[in-house]
Amino acid sequence: MEEKKVKNDHLEGLNPAQKEAVLHTNGPLLIFAGAGAGKTKTITCRIMHLIKSGVEPKNILAITFTNKAAKEMRDRVLTALEKERGLANTPYHEKPFISTFHSLGVHILKENSRELGLTRNFSIFDKSDSQKTVRDIVRDMGLDPKQHEPNKILNIISREKGDLKNAQDFAESISGENHTAAHGLISQIWTEYEKRLRAEKALDFDDLLLQTYKLLKNHPAILEKYQNLWQYIHIDEYQDTNKVQYMTVKLLATKHQNLCVVGDIDQNIYSWRGADIKNILNFEKDYPQALVVLLEENYRSTQNILAVANSIIKKNTNRVEKNLFTKNAEGDKVSLYAGYNEAEEAHYIANKCKELIATGISAREIAVLYRANFQSRALEDAFLTKSVPYQVLGTKFFERKEVKDIVSFVRAGLNPESMTDIKRIINVPARGIGKVTILKIFAGQKEEIPLATRLKVDQFYNLLKDIGKLAHETKPSEVIKFIIKESGIEKELRDGNDEEKERLENMRELATLAIKYDHFPQGEGIEKLVEEAALATDQDSLEKNENAVKLMTVHASKGLEFDYVFITGLEEDLFPHQRMNSVKNKEDSEEERRLFYVALTRARKKVFLTYANTRTIFGSAQVNTPSQFIGDIEESFIEADQTFEYREKIIYLEL
């Protein structure tokens, strides 16, 4: 790229390290960005600098891991582009492509669907679709899903796909000495699972990545097209990439080598789902000409919070040395509370949240983090008792049954071979079509169905045909309204009880949400809506940003920030976590420490640490040792909170 003189107003407010990263436009670049060090600002400014230096926006690709992060980056870039267009009347005809890895996969696969024997409107199986399909397969094999858990089987399949293996590769890899009965069973189930996906013209989440890689690897002309299109590539959270993501990026970046990766080894917390820390550690081996930049100035947290975080993470050895610093205020000390049991711990937290809210602090600026999902039960009980508004991260809008039903109508209208969707909605609302009839439909024996029932089936398929036609002719919001009315759902629910009326409201909310896609060309908007439904994540449930205290796992909190953060359950074997029947090793220990570091650095103003001396797990009370992480913090940074007295403590003592 030829550098041309540009106005440097987009560089204002950058610190020296950020500016160095922004100005390095040609060749590989590795940015180690500490928590709260302004990485999104840096990437955004770098993209703007490239455009102002003469790079066409369409030649820029930026990939991150969550929909929330992608939306934030996209909004910032487009706002800056609009501002620049207004000032200089620059003809920015096309936009940079900013998305998640999975959305990138959908985009590439849709553009090349014929090469894979798919239609452009292939279905995307979400987690529940995949679990249901595997559960059906297990049952069809005469096995018990309780003994052969679909979720565990899918986790194994997911890890293997992340390592670039398909069902055939897996079958070959377990031959000979590696073969066990369990492996053989998984291989059988996986083979049948792929067969059912193909029959429905569907892909699952992991296929969106694996099939994209295989497409690019096996079709040089297609690869070259995208290499020439995306000449400047940015990858956020590079420490969280797995093998298939790493190899896909490598393919796309090979021709021009203009690859900027941003990451933080200290925030690598996803090894359990395939993230390989070696991808970022070996970046300089992969790209010997790379410039390395450290972003160490934190703009989020107080000095005390950073001092504690630095002291925690420096005990890890598998990292690049860096030390976060800030010009922010010194701030409060970290509060520490020890509860008698999990109920007292939870009531302390709920009470403290109530006190904070009473002082004028917004409930949405408070987060309660825990290591394991089961911890939320005691917390929810306490928040309900204290009448403190709360929201548990993970209740996704698109996972509600009624919303999934409407999306299934759209998917089946676009892809009539999606048997999973048809099976889901053929009796929504009730049409009197029984299981035997459904089996005959799927077996292609429609002529054997009694005439009266066949008429009902024909009506249903005519509705799907109308939906498919309408999807390509009108706005997405109108399609959703059409389904709600013409399917008979509205008629069934509008005069029902409160719960049924709420379900109808959720469906109407989907129509409202669809409005944001109404401006897309005909047919494209509805595809985007279906894609959003399939790729929604836990963090997307916070989009409405209810004014309530957020309850979530530490893993789910990554990328978020709050003024006040409670880190709970700080007990040995809970946090740091000890998995059942597993032996502690150095890698696991370091990842647990990184997880605590991530939890600490979510906070802007104040951190509260809590633990329980006894906790009931799997029905039995356990006496706990406080977490080693507490002992790693210098006493000068901690203040014990002994002001709370839980009135029900005596009851538990007597028990």
Side-chain angles (χ1 to χ4, degrees):
M1 180 191 78
E2 271 187 40
E3 291 281 354
K4 67 179 188 179
K5 286 193 175 181
V6 297
K7 289 200 304 182
N8 289 332
D9 51 339
H10 61 291
L11 302 178
E12 291 174 9
L14 296 177
N15 65 40
Q18 290 172 328
K19 193 175 290 186
E20 184 182 13
V22 167
L23 295 176
H24 181 80
T25 52
N26 291 310
L29 171 65
L30 169 59
I31 304 173
F32 286 114
K39 65 171 183 172
T40 303
K41 179 180 182 179
T42 304
I43 299 172
T44 303
C45 288
R46 189 173 191 274
I47 290 171
M48 280 307 301
H49 185 72
L50 286 168
I51 293 169
K52 292 180 79 170
S53 300
V55 176
E56 289 191 51
K58 68 178 181 180
N59 292 141
I60 299 170
L61 174 69
I63 300 298
T64 188
F65 270 77
T66 67
N67 297 327
K68 182 179 181 297
K71 182 180 183 301
E72 182 184 355
M73 193 182 296
R74 194 183 304 117
D75 288 348
R76 287 199 197 187
V77 169
L78 295 183
T79 298
L81 273 172
E82 285 299 320
K83 181 182 175 185
E84 186 65 24
R85 182 191 293 163
L87 290 172
N89 200 27
T90 311
Y92 294 136
H93 297 300
E94 298 185 50
K95 303 167 187 173
F97 193 98
I98 302 171
S99 79
T100 63
F101 269 107
H102 288 91
S103 292
L104 173 69
V106 171
H107 176 79
I108 292 173
L109 294 172
K110 280 192 172 183
E111 287 195 337
N112 303 278
S113 54
R114 287 184 182 178
E115 298 288 346
L116 298 166
L118 296 168
T119 65
R120 180 178 171 83
N121 293 309
F122 62 82
S123 295
I124 302 170
F125 271 31
D126 63 18
K127 194 172 181 180
S128 63
D129 294 328
S130 294
Q131 284 177 341
K132 187 178 185 311
T133 303
V134 170
R135 188 178 293 108
D136 289 345
I137 293 168
V138 169
R139 283 179 178 147
D140 291 347
M141 293 172 70
L143 302 171
D144 183 358
K146 289 180 182 176
Q147 284 187 313
H148 305 279
E149 295 177 47
N151 199 37
K152 287 185 178 178
I153 294 167
L154 281 166
N155 284 343
I156 293 167
I157 292 172
S158 179
R159 284 294 294 266
E160 293 294 327
K161 285 186 176 182
D163 282 338
L164 303 177
K165 288 180 185 172
N166 58 26
Q168 187 179 339
D169 297 328
F170 182 73
E172 291 170 4
S173 73
I174 62 169
S175 60
E177 293 179 8
N178 294 326
H179 184 78
T180 66
H183 283 126
L185 184 61
I186 288 167
S187 182
Q188 272 184 279
I189 293 168
W190 189 352
T191 301
E192 178 60 26
Y193 175 61
E194 294 299 329
K195 185 179 170 185
R196 296 191 187 190
L197 282 171
R198 283 196 301 274
E200 297 197 29
K201 296 283 192 290
L203 298 175
D204 69 11
F205 255 40
D206 299 299
D207 287 329
L208 299 179
L209 303 179
L210 179 59
Q211 295 303 329
T212 299
Y213 167 74
K214 287 184 177 292
L215 178 79
L216 296 174
K217 184 174 182 288
N218 297 329
H219 297 82
I222 292 174
L223 172 61
E224 187 175 20
K225 181 183 97 171
Y226 290 112
Q227 286 175 335
N228 290 334
L229 176 62
W230 295 317
Q231 297 175 23
Y232 293 84
I233 300 173
H234 304 74
I235 309 295
D236 191 14
E237 306 286 10
Y238 194 66
Q239 78 282 349
D240 290 335
T241 52
N242 61 14
K243 190 172 182 179
V244 68
Q245 291 162 335
Y246 165 80
M247 292 300 293
T248 301
V249 170
K250 203 167 184 182
L251 282 176
L252 289 171
T254 295
K255 186 170 184 179
H256 297 283
Q257 298 278 304
N258 294 321
L259 174 62
C260 166
V261 304
V262 187
D264 182 6
I265 293 167
D266 294 336
Q267 295 187 72
N268 172 257
I269 58 172
Y270 292 117
S271 64
W272 51 276
R273 69 180 189 197
D276 191 346
I277 200 169
K278 294 192 188 97
N279 293 345
I280 193 166
L281 286 171
N282 293 338
F283 187 83
E284 291 170 87
K285 284 185 184 176
D286 293 337
Y287 304 93
Q289 305 303 315
L291 172 70
V292 180
V293 176
L294 265 66
L295 302 185
E296 297 175 291
E297 183 172 356
N298 176 284
Y299 295 92
R300 178 187 301 158
S301 307
T302 64
Q303 291 176 24
N304 280 338
I305 291 170
L306 291 187
V308 171
N310 284 331
S311 68
I312 288 293
I313 203 63
K314 73 180 180 185
K315 288 205 168 187
N316 276 4
T317 57
N318 199 13
R319 64 188 293 261
V320 171
E321 184 62 37
K322 68 179 188 311
N323 206 50
L324 291 182
F325 68 92
T326 185
K327 294 172 185 171
N328 292 340
E330 183 179 346
D332 294 338
K333 290 184 177 183
V334 170
S335 287
L336 176 65
Y337 177 80
Y340 168 70
N341 56 18
E342 70 268 28
E344 181 171 298
E345 178 195 36
H347 276 264
Y348 164 78
I349 293 165
N351 192 67
K352 186 60 70 173
C353 288
K354 193 165 190 171
E355 288 177 5
L356 290 170
I357 294 166
T359 65
I361 291 160
S362 175
R364 64 169 59 91
E365 288 301 341
I366 306 171
V368 181
L369 311 183
Y370 36 84
R371 180 62 182 83
N373 277 304
F374 75 83
Q375 292 173 256
S376 71
R377 185 199 59 78
L379 289 163
E380 287 192 70
D381 285 349
F383 274 74
L384 285 167
T385 301
K386 298 281 183 183
S387 300
V388 179
Y390 72 93
Q391 180 187 9
V392 180
L393 185 71
T395 310
K396 291 190 280 189
F397 175 73
F398 286 110
E399 279 186 353
R400 298 178 188 274
K401 179 193 177 299
E402 59 273 17
V403 175
K404 280 182 73 81
D405 287 345
I406 300 298
V407 173
S408 279
F409 272 106
V410 178
R411 290 187 355 172
L414 293 170
N415 176 15
E417 293 178 77
S418 182
M419 295 303 169
T420 297
D421 289 307
I422 288 168
K423 192 175 178 182
R424 180 183 183 92
I425 57 173
I426 199 164
N427 271 314
V428 177
R431 294 184 176 86
I433 300 173
K435 289 182 181 178
V436 175
T437 301
I438 293 170
L439 288 172
K440 285 182 178 177
I441 294 169
F442 290 178
Q445 299 168 345
K446 197 174 169 185
E447 68 283 351
E448 296 180 19
I449 301 170
L451 183 60
T453 307
R454 204 187 313 166
L455 288 171
K456 294 175 185 174
V457 172
D458 288 343
Q459 277 184 322
F460 172 73
Y461 274 92
N462 286 335
L463 173 63
L464 294 186
K465 198 179 290 182
D466 289 342
I467 292 167
K469 186 171 181 288
L470 206 62
H472 292 97
E473 294 176 353
T474 191
K475 298 173 181 178
S477 59
E478 295 300 322
V479 176
I480 303 303
K481 290 174 186 175
F482 175 85
I483 293 168
I484 293 169
K485 184 178 180 184
E486 298 302 323
S487 65
I489 291 173
E490 185 177 54
K491 185 179 178 183
E492 182 182 68
L493 298 180
R494 68 185 172 199
D495 297 322
N497 58 32
D498 287 347
E499 186 180 331
E500 288 169 327
K501 286 175 182 173
E502 185 181 345
R503 284 169 55 202
L504 183 58
E505 286 304 311
N506 286 332
M507 294 178 189
R508 287 172 173 162
E509 178 66 21
L510 181 62
T512 302
L513 186 149
I515 291 171
K516 71 178 179 181
Y517 296 111
D518 282 354
H519 69 281
F520 281 88
Q522 286 182 348
E524 197 177 316
I526 200 74
E527 286 181 21
K528 293 283 185 189
L529 176 64
V530 172
E531 183 184 325
E532 180 182 347
L535 302 184
T537 66
D538 286 350
Q539 284 194 1
D540 297 329
S541 66
L542 291 183
E543 281 299 299
K544 286 189 178 180
N545 202 12
E546 293 177 29
N547 193 21
V549 177
K550 313 304 181 193
L551 274 57
M552 69 190 83
T553 64
V554 182
H555 280 102
S557 74
K558 189 159 178 289
L560 303 176
E561 56 185 75
F562 304 89
D563 284 346
Y564 298 86
V565 171
F566 292 79
I567 307 173
T568 69
L570 282 164
E571 300 135 30
E572 283 297 300
D573 295 339
L574 180 55
F575 199 3
H577 194 60
Q578 172 67 23
R579 292 179 180 85
M580 290 177 68
N581 304 318
S582 69
V583 179
K584 278 186 180 178
N585 58 47
K586 183 172 180 281
E587 289 76 17
D588 288 343
S589 295
E590 292 214 347
E591 182 144 334
E592 286 296 309
R593 190 169 286 276
R594 291 195 292 267
L595 196 57
F596 185 51
Y597 172 82
V598 166
L600 287 166
T601 52
R602 297 312 91 204
R604 300 188 193 102
K605 296 180 179 178
K606 172 86 175 175
V607 171
F608 299 84
L609 308 178
T610 69
Y611 66 94
N613 286 305
T614 64
R615 186 179 296 274
T616 302
I617 298 177
F618 299 123
S620 60
Q622 298 179 4
V623 178
N624 303 313
T625 305
S627 171
Q628 59 187 268
F629 298 149
I630 295 172
D632 289 340
I633 302 170
E634 287 182 30
E635 285 186 19
S636 59
F637 291 115
I638 294 182
E639 57 183 6
D641 192 340
Q642 299 171 328
T643 59
F644 178 70
E645 186 66 30
Y646 182 39
R647 289 181 182 177
E648 293 177 44
K649 179 190 284 191
I650 190 68
I651 297 172
Y652 290 90
L653 284 169
E654 287 172 356
L655 287 173

